[in-house]
Amino acid sequence: MRNISINDVDHSPRSVLAIGTDYPPGHVLAAHEHRRAQFLFAVNGAMNVETEDGEWTVLPSNAVMIPAGVAHAVTMDGVSTRSLYIEPSAAPWFPVRCRVVAVSSLLRELLVAAVDMDVELNAEVDFPAHGRGAAVFQLILHELRDLAPLPVELPLPRHPGLRALCTRYLTGPSIHDSPTRWAEQLHISERTLHRLLISETGISASSWMQRACILHALPKLSAGASVTAVASELGYSTPAAFTAMCTRVSGAPPSSYRARVTTQTPE
């Protein structure tokens, strides 16, 4: 199924529905939620997913697992998606918080096949137990169950003042900003700032800023921007300094994210 709303087919007894959707550059899906759990994968382009708990950067080689009933907004950058909408009873192991995962070549081909499969939406039962459809979706669920999360989550604090600073920082992060300035703006000590961020996000203020810079950079790198240009935009004096930071925070050098996008081909 392609370019239809899940709301139009959610009544189907199928335990898993696969939908492919094409979005123009800069498209924003306002905050919404689904009755089913969602596995959101972009064949090409990058996505940014935001919930009350945090933000996730999703590159073409990755996908995001969104639990049922979790409100989320998605910003698309020229994205063609392949989404799975899964009945909660069919995947009781689904994570309770959003999670970004790597998509293997096998899973990618299964998602493409699932979207292009002929589906009888008004059938009274799910796919025949021994048919191709049942086999494809059973294998998909098996693959999803064992996916490990990637370190691309940026948790957001609930403290109103601190959340406002974090949200503003995300629109244009720079390494020249500092926890000291944030503490001054909130009229608290820097120690209190660190303690507050750790209690609400699990990471320190400086680590949060570093991660925000890297996650801001990943979609630009995946779109083909040079390491030098991205490093300069974030305020790094040299590409080497940015490379070291990216490798430490994300576990891979920035060049690897640029390499990934060149191997992706839209369907």
Side-chain angles (χ1 to χ4, degrees), residues 15-265:
S15 57
V16 184
L17 296 172
I19 298 176
T21 309
D22 302 314
Y23 295 97
H27 186 78
V28 177
L29 291 174
H32 63 288
E33 60 186 70
H34 305 294
R35 183 185 63 80
R36 298 172 182 243
Q38 183 182 11
F39 184 83
L40 178 59
F41 168 64
V43 176
N44 58 283
M47 300 182 292
N48 187 75
V49 178
E50 180 179 356
T51 73
E52 280 193 358
D53 293 330
E55 290 202 7
W56 290 259
T57 296
V58 190
L59 302 181
S61 54
N62 303 335
V64 59
M65 304 177 78
I66 305 172
V70 171
H72 57 284
V74 186
T75 301
M76 310 279 191
D77 189 8
V79 168
S80 180
T81 65
R82 302 293 183 268
S83 276
L84 300 174
Y85 296 91
I86 307 169
E87 286 286 356
S89 60
W93 39 261
F94 210 84
V96 297
R97 297 181 73 253
C98 287
R99 173 186 296 178
V100 172
V101 294
V103 174
S104 66
S105 297
L106 171 61
L107 181 54
R108 182 181 188 277
E109 295 306 317
L110 288 170
L111 293 170
V112 171
V115 165
D116 291 335
M117 192 176 297
D118 290 331
V119 176
E120 176 53 58
L121 293 172
N122 295 320
E124 295 182 359
V125 296
D126 214 332
F127 288 104
H130 302 291
R132 178 174 180 268
V136 168
F137 283 107
Q138 286 173 5
L139 183 53
I140 284 175
L141 291 177
H142 180 79
E143 291 295 302
L144 296 188
R145 186 168 189 166
D146 294 329
L147 294 176
L150 296 173
V152 291
E153 176 186 357
L154 190 65
L156 291 172
R158 295 184 178 275
H159 181 280
L162 186 53
R163 188 183 183 96
L165 281 175
C166 290
T167 302
R168 191 181 311 139
Y169 186 76
L170 288 172
T171 63
S174 169
I175 62 168
H176 296 305
D177 208 343
S178 69
T180 300
R181 190 184 68 83
W182 281 24
E184 291 173 350
Q185 288 190 279
L186 293 175
H187 305 291
I188 59 177
S189 69
E190 192 169 340
R191 177 176 295 181
T192 299
L193 174 71
H194 283 287
R195 186 166 58 247
L196 186 58
L197 252 179
I198 289 174
S199 67
E200 298 206 3
T201 69
I203 55 180
S204 68
S206 55
S207 295
W208 193 97
M209 290 179 168
Q210 291 169 0
R211 189 179 296 188
C213 285
I214 297 306
L215 297 189
H216 179 81
L218 295 186
K220 296 179 181 295
L221 292 167
S222 73
S226 70
V227 174
T228 299
V230 174
S232 177
E233 179 184 343
L234 292 172
Y236 286 90
S237 57
T238 65
F242 169 65
T243 295
M245 178 69 71
C246 182
T247 303
R248 179 160 57 83
V249 173
S250 71
S255 57
S256 69
Y257 294 101
R258 296 190 74 240
R260 289 176 193 175
V261 72
T262 61
T263 63
Q264 301 296 327
T265 54

